[in-house]
């Protein structure tokens, strides 16, 4: 999976003044509602509610989503072939609990009518709430002040709450608040019930046979004569509060809703479970839910915050990125982390390889419990992955390229099934989780299974030549502008790591290995193949090649390609792209980041500079990788430009695709760009190492990383031309680490401060014409 799209316009003005802990919407732009609905989504990994206006209209693409709720669509092919998926899973919207309409006299509150004196929405990154304040005069001349606050509790799966307040400003007013849960047009067999100050909505999917329900209740506070009633119609349950307000008086309606789903065969458990969650939420009240949310986020920011000194916009954007990654992963128990989280329907709600390569590295070091859940989900998918491997004639397990439940939902063979690096990506993420956490139980009970079964796939996928070298032919690497190639370097190196990890885990957990049927002969074969993996190079220059023969292909005509013809796949056939030297996204460069032990520094620099001239970044997954490697090889200014591209991808809508959901992997990549890029952090087989350097324009960078029960803070500062790094153990025991190759131990209560060696003075590599990250930012602006 990779994101593509024409550059969109920057939202700097739309989002108002930069604040380090909040995103403010400036002047309301109803034409931008699709984008702001994505940006202002509240989610907790189980439930996502897009940031639509409370009154529901005007709107862009409003939606409420539950992780795992999907339906099935048949996949049609002009010519069907064996192994093609026959149905596709797609996320579908569930009943919407967010609607709160306001009537002032006979007039409905609508920002497009009357006079809107003030309007501001704020996504608060510390409290995890979306606040709205508006002052409006109706066409009849009645003036009201409206305040609301939304909340999707991070520790209460499926719960949603909104605190809606209406105040008369300068004269008595008749007001009516109509709070509703509205059935989803994408679901079927609707059943609505009114009860007390709330009720229930029940629906189901057809193809996937899932039962979905929402229970809702209200707490209404206002003048003594406030009238409250609830009724149900065919498509909604509505609770109405009606009262006459004197100037200064307020009507407050607090809505709490519990949403969930079950397979049809266990649907009898659904309503009792939701009632329990709803009653707990009502009993605690909105203030308690908000306080609990703040506590969860305080804990998160204590470990996850990345403090940037010298760039306020970058500071805001990286916190925005971290917040949304948390929202995507917080309660993703037994479900995957979709590429768009629960912020929209982009990519049909599918999970791809980018969870393991971009999201899990961040979670490992700032919120490891979420990383553990992502690992458990992949482990739970092993039965389906084994079935898919058998269908394809492979051994072990083959994970689907895109999926919701473990079923392959990609019908495009060259960039789907052939992208077998996914197997090794998942294994690599599992191993890195153990390195970061020291979780031996997970290593034995989860990781060994995943790594062994994926390692088995390479034995069948690859071949040994007459010289004993191991090759993998006819595959697609991360770069989707090259397909069905031989010896993709990234794939081969990741397969090598997969095989070696299987050898290690089979030795550490022999009982588990025996249960998986691992034999001594099989382990010996893994050792032989791993040592024989072939990594191609250009025969003339010695530069590492993305795949065998790739450096001998004709270069793409970059000079003859106009800015309007990007992304290339929207204007040229893949047949032309596959036969040229052009990269949609970092491919070999990603290998430089994830398999650094396979290259010398000089080889990394040569390969990075070569592929800079070929990579057009038609994917949102590219910039953070290029930032990390650019920083490592000494191109700090270029690294800073790429880091900004990764960080601002959604906040500034650099690709014009934010409307269908946020790019969760790119947002997690923003953390990597700063921590692994400027912080130089690497996981060297279970030991953290650092090689930090600040680029021009940043005066300081401070971040924390969790590692095997300890929390280490790294603080980079600048004093004139001199940079220093201070390493401090915040909690836990001593941390064994290194700084630019100098190994040392940081003891609790004894910080270490070391000078940072200056970066080499290197000429800036050139990108394809018009693809310099500075130019792309200008186009987007």
């Amino acid at each position: 999976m990779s994101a593509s799209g024409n550059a969109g316009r920057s939202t700097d003005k739309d989002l108002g003044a930069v604040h380090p802990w909040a995103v403010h919407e400036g002047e309301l732009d109803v034409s931008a509602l699709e984008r702001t609905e994505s940006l202002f989504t509240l989610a907790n990994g189980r439930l996502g509610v897009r940031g639509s206006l409370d009154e529901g209209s005007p709107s862009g693409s409003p939606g409420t989503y539950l992780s795992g709720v999907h339906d099935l669509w048949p996949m049609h092919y002009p010519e069907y072939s064996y192994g093609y998926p026959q149905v596709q899973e797609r996320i579908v919207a569930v009943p919407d609990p967010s609607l709160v309409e306001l009537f002032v006299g006979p007039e409905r509150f609508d920002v497009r009518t009357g006079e809107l004196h003030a309007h501001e929405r704020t996504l608060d990154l510390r409290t995890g709430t979306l606040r709205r304040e508006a002052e409006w005069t109706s066409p009849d001349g009645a003036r009201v002040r409206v305040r609301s606050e939304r909340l999707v509790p991070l520790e209460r799966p499926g719960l949603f709450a909104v605190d809606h307040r209406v105040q008369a400003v300068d004269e008595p007013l008749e007001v009516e608040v109509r709070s509703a849960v509205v059935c989803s047009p994408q679901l079927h067999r609707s059943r609505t019930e009114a009860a007390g100050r709330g009720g229930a909505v029940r629906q189901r999917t057809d193809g996937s046979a899932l039962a979905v329900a929402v229970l809702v209740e209200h707490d209404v506070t206002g003048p003594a004569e406030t009238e409250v009633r609830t009724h149900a119609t065919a498509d909604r349950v509505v609770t109405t509060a009606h009262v006459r307000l004197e100037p200064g008086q307020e009507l407050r309606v607090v809505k709490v809703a519990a949403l969930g789903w079950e397979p049809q065969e266990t649907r009898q458990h659904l309503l009792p479970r939701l009632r329990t969650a709803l009653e707990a939420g009502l009993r605690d009240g909105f203030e308690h839910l908000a306080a609990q949310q703040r506590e969860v986020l305080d804990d998160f920011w204590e470990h996850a915050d990345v403090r940037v000194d010298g760039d306020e916009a970058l500071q805001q954007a990286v916190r925005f990125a971290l917040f949304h990654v948390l929202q995507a992963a917080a309660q993703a128990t037994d479900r995957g982390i979709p590429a768009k989280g629960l912020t929209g329907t982009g990519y049909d709600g599918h999970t791809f390889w980018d969870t393991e390569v971009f999201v899990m590295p961040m979670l490992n070091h700032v919120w490891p419990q979420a990383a553990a859940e992502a690992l458990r989900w992949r482990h739970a998918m092993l039965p389906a992955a084994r079935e898919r491997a058998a269908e394809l004639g492979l051994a072990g397990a083959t994970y689907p390229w895109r999926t919701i439940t473990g079923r392959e939902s990609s019908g495009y063979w060259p960039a789907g099934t052939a992208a077998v690096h996914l197997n090794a990506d998942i294994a690599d993420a599992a191993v890195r989780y153990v390195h970061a956490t020291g979780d031996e139980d997970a290593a034995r009970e989860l990781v060994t299974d995943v790594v062994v079964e994926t390692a088995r796939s390479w034995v069948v996928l690859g071949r040994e030549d007459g010289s004993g070298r191991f090759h993998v032919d006819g595959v697609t690497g991360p770069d989707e502008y090259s397909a069905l190639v031989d010896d993709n370097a990234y794939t081969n190196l990741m397969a090598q790591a997969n095989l070696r990890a299987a050898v290690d885990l089979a030795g550490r957990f022999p009982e588990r290995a025996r249960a998986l049927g691992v034999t001594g002969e099989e382990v010996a074969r893994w050792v032989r193949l791993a040592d024989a993996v072939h990594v191609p190079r250009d025969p003339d220059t010695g530069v590492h090649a993305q795949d065998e023969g790739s450096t001998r292909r004709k270069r793409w005509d970059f000079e003859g390609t106009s800015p309007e013809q990007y992304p290339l796949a929207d204007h040229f056939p893949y047949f032309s792209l596959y036969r040229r030297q052009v990269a949609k996204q970092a491919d070999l460069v990603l290998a430089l980041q994830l398999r650094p032990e396979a290259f010398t520094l000089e080889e990394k620099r040569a390969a990075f500079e070569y592929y800079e001239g070929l990579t057009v970044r038609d994917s949102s997954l590219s910039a953070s990788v290029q930032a990390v490697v650019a920083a490592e090889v000494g191109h700090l200014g270029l690294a800073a430009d790429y880091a900004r591209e990764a960080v601002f991808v959604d906040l500034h809508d650099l690709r014009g695709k934010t409307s269908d959901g946020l790019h969760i992997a790119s947002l997690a990549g923003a953390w990597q760009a700063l921590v692994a890029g400027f912080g130089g952090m690497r996981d060297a087989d279970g030991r953290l190492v650092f090689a930090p350097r600040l680029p021009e324009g940043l005066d300081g960078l401070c971040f924390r990383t969790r590692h095997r029960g300890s929390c280490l803070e790294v603080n980079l500062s600048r004093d004139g031309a001199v940079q220093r790094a201070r390493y401090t153990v915040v909690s836990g025991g001593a941390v064994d680490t290194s700084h630019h190759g100098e190994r040392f131990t940081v003891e609790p209560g004894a910080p270490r401060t070391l000078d940072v060696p200056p970066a080499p003075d290197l000429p800036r590599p050139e990108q394809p014409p018009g693809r310099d990250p500075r130019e792309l930012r200008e186009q987007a602006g």
Side-chain angles (χ1 to χ4, degrees):
M1 185 282 302
S2 56
S4 63
N6 295 318
R9 61 185 179 86
S10 169
T11 60
D12 284 338
K13 295 180 180 179
D14 300 347
L15 296 177
V18 171
H19 187 284
W21 284 105
V23 177
H24 296 289
E25 182 181 45
E27 183 178 348
L28 180 64
D29 180 359
V30 295
S31 70
L33 286 175
E34 280 188 295
R35 185 172 68 247
T36 53
E37 285 168 359
S38 294
L39 298 176
F40 289 159
T41 294
L42 295 179
N44 61 12
R46 288 292 188 97
L47 169 66
V49 181
R50 280 173 61 86
S52 53
L53 299 177
D54 297 322
E55 58 273 17
S57 178
S59 65
S61 296
T64 298
Y65 306 98
L66 284 169
S67 178
V69 175
H70 68 286
D71 217 336
L72 304 178
W73 275 261
M75 299 182 74
H76 301 287
Y77 304 91
E79 294 183 14
Y80 176 78
S81 243
Y82 175 81
Y84 284 7
Q86 297 186 48
V87 295
Q88 184 185 62
E89 304 169 337
R90 294 182 194 167
I91 191 172
V92 289
V94 300
D96 181 9
S98 67
L99 183 65
V100 183
E101 294 180 289
L102 168 64
F103 290 82
V104 181
E107 299 288 345
R108 179 182 178 276
F109 172 52
D110 188 320
V111 296
R112 298 165 298 185
T113 66
E115 183 177 358
L116 191 63
H117 305 284
H119 189 278
E120 182 177 30
R121 289 192 294 171
T122 301
L123 178 67
D124 192 315
L125 306 176
R126 274 200 177 278
T127 64
T129 60
L130 177 62
R131 296 192 302 272
R132 183 191 190 192
E133 295 186 8
E135 193 161 318
W136 178 74
T137 296
S138 73
D140 284 351
R143 188 161 180 160
V144 291
R145 188 172 294 122
V146 182
R147 291 182 295 157
S148 70
E149 188 170 16
R150 287 185 183 183
L151 179 65
V152 174
L154 287 161
E155 289 201 334
R156 302 203 185 196
L159 206 66
F160 170 78
V162 59
D163 182 355
H164 195 89
R165 306 183 187 211
V166 185
Q167 185 181 61
V169 176
D170 51 19
E171 62 181 74
L173 299 174
E174 293 282 336
V175 300
E176 184 170 281
V177 171
R178 299 178 188 173
S179 173
V181 175
V182 183
C183 292
S184 169
Q186 294 181 294
L187 302 182
H188 308 283
R189 304 185 189 182
S190 303
R191 183 174 176 182
T192 60
E193 301 171 11
R197 293 188 171 188
V201 170
R202 284 181 278 175
Q203 293 185 273
R204 62 162 291 176
T205 62
D206 276 348
S208 56
L210 304 179
V212 180
V214 180
L215 299 185
V216 65
E217 190 61 70
H218 297 81
D219 182 11
V220 179
T221 306
E225 61 274 17
T226 302
E227 299 175 358
V228 183
R229 60 185 178 86
T230 299
H231 69 282
T233 66
D235 73 335
R236 67 189 61 199
V237 173
V238 184
T239 296
T240 300
H242 181 274
V243 70
R244 180 180 176 84
L245 295 177
E246 297 297 325
Q249 281 189 316
E250 181 178 80
L251 174 63
R252 181 188 186 193
V253 177
V254 174
K255 173 196 289 188
V256 180
L259 298 83
W261 66 272
E262 287 279 349
Q264 276 292 317
E265 58 266 25
T266 59
R267 64 185 183 278
Q268 68 273 15
H269 303 307
L270 180 55
L271 291 183
R273 174 165 58 85
L274 295 184
R275 270 194 206 97
T276 300
L278 180 63
E279 289 169 1
L282 286 167
R283 182 173 59 250
D284 291 340
F286 191 89
E287 285 79 5
H288 179 83
L289 293 175
Q292 186 181 61
Q293 183 87 328
R294 177 63 187 255
E295 289 175 5
V296 174
L297 280 164
D298 282 347
D299 184 31
F300 173 72
W301 291 119
E302 177 73 16
H303 299 91
D305 189 24
V306 176
R307 301 199 300 274
V308 177
D309 185 11
D311 191 326
E312 292 181 352
L314 186 64
Q315 177 67 87
Q316 179 200 48
V318 72
R319 284 176 175 152
F320 171 84
L322 292 169
F323 175 77
H324 273 292
V325 175
L326 171 66
Q327 288 202 133
Q331 288 285 340
T333 309
D334 71 20
R335 293 164 183 126
I337 301 173
K340 293 278 190 174
L342 294 173
T343 66
T345 58
Y347 303 117
D348 296 319
H350 294 158
T351 299
F352 297 77
W353 69 296
D354 48 337
T355 293
E356 278 71 27
V357 173
F358 295 87
V359 180
M360 276 190 67
M362 171 193 151
L363 297 178
N364 284 341
H365 292 285
V366 302
W367 205 249
Q369 55 267 51
E373 297 298 344
L375 172 59
R376 288 189 184 96
W377 178 74
R378 284 295 192 187
H379 183 267
M381 295 300 105
L382 264 176
R386 290 184 180 112
E387 290 179 9
R388 181 63 171 161
E391 182 181 29
L392 296 175
L394 302 175
T398 295
Y399 280 95
W401 181 242
R402 53 191 299 169
T403 189
I404 294 176
T405 69
R407 183 203 307 260
E408 179 62 81
S409 284
S410 173
Y412 187 54
W413 186 276
T417 303
V420 291
H421 64 84
L422 170 71
N423 274 354
D425 300 333
I426 292 170
D428 184 66
V431 170
R432 289 179 190 273
Y433 167 78
V434 176
H435 285 170
T437 63
D439 187 344
E440 287 297 291
D441 289 340
R444 180 180 57 254
E445 298 167 10
L446 305 174
V447 176
T448 299
D449 295 2
V450 170
V451 171
V452 164
E453 293 289 52
T454 50
R456 285 170 164 159
S457 70
W458 298 110
V459 177
V460 180
L461 281 164
R463 64 175 176 86
E464 294 177 87
D465 65 16
S467 302
R469 294 181 303 178
F470 184 66
H471 305 269
V472 183
D473 299 330
V475 300
T476 301
D479 170 32
E480 294 169 8
Y481 285 172
S482 300
L484 302 177
V485 299
D486 296 339
D487 286 327
N488 172 255
Y490 173 85
T491 301
N492 285 12
L493 287 169
M494 295 297 283
Q496 181 183 63
N498 193 170
L499 291 164
R500 287 176 173 165
V503 173
D504 173 65
L505 290 163
R508 286 167 58 193
F509 304 110
E511 291 185 6
R512 192 74 174 189
R514 281 194 296 272
L516 293 167
V518 176
T519 65
E521 181 182 0
E522 187 175 26
V523 171
R525 190 173 190 185
W526 291 340
V527 172
R528 187 182 76 250
L529 296 182
D531 290 343
V533 163
H534 174 61
V535 181
R537 292 176 182 257
D538 180 84
D540 299 322
T541 65
V543 171
H544 284 85
Q546 183 168 298
D547 54 78
E548 192 65 59
S550 63
T551 56
R552 294 192 292 274
R553 297 186 194 118
K554 186 176 180 179
R555 287 173 64 94
W556 184 263
D557 180 13
F558 296 109
E559 289 73 15
T561 305
S562 69
E564 293 75 25
Q565 290 178 297
Y566 289 96
L568 297 178
D570 289 354
H571 300 89
F572 300 94
Y574 274 108
F575 178 68
S576 296
L577 295 168
Y578 289 163
R579 295 181 298 111
R580 297 289 189 270
Q581 285 197 70
V582 55
K584 178 178 182 179
Q585 62 208 76
D587 186 306
L588 178 67
V589 176
L590 183 58
L592 303 180
Q593 177 183 341
L594 295 184
R595 301 265 67 91
E597 72 282 355
F599 309 89
T600 67
L601 177 61
E602 292 73 21
E603 288 172 339
K604 290 178 186 176
R605 185 175 293 141
F608 174 79
E609 292 175 353
Y610 182 85
Y611 283 98
E612 274 297 283
L614 299 175
T615 305
V616 296
R617 292 193 323 289
D618 283 348
S619 165
S620 67
L621 300 182
S622 195
S624 64
V625 177
Q626 290 171 276
V628 170
V629 179
E632 179 180 3
V633 302
H635 294 294
L636 287 174
L638 182 57
D641 291 333
Y642 282 139
R644 286 176 172 83
E645 184 173 313
V647 170
F648 291 129
V649 63
D650 286 314
L651 203 55
H652 292 181
D653 198 13
L654 297 183
R655 296 182 173 274
K657 291 288 187 179
T658 299
S659 60
D660 67 5
L662 304 182
H663 298 78
I664 301 301
S666 186
L667 297 178
W671 178 88
Q672 291 196 39
L674 297 181
V675 172
F678 306 141
M681 188 177 86
R682 299 289 188 277
D683 180 346
D685 292 329
R687 185 171 63 89
L688 288 183
V689 300
F690 299 89
R693 283 194 182 99
L694 287 172
E696 291 297 324
L698 289 189
D699 298 324
L701 177 70
C702 183
F703 60 90
R704 292 179 175 181
T705 179
R706 288 174 164 177
H707 185 71
R708 294 179 174 257
S710 296
C711 181
L712 181 70
E713 179 177 278
V714 181
N715 195 332
L716 305 180
S717 60
R718 187 193 302 275
D719 183 8
V722 178
Q723 295 185 26
R724 295 185 176 88
R726 180 180 176 88
Y727 299 89
T728 305
V729 173
V730 176
S731 62
V735 176
D736 181 32
T737 185
S738 71
H739 170 88
H740 285 280
E742 178 185 345
R743 188 161 181 169
F744 63 100
T745 300
V746 189
E747 299 285 350
R752 293 285 302 274
T753 300
L754 300 170
D755 287 346
V756 173
D761 185 13
L762 301 171
R764 182 178 173 114
E766 291 187 0
Q767 293 74 41
R771 307 312 286 172
D772 184 300
R774 295 170 297 189
E775 294 178 76
L776 289 182
R777 286 286 306 281
E778 290 172 3
Q779 293 171 23

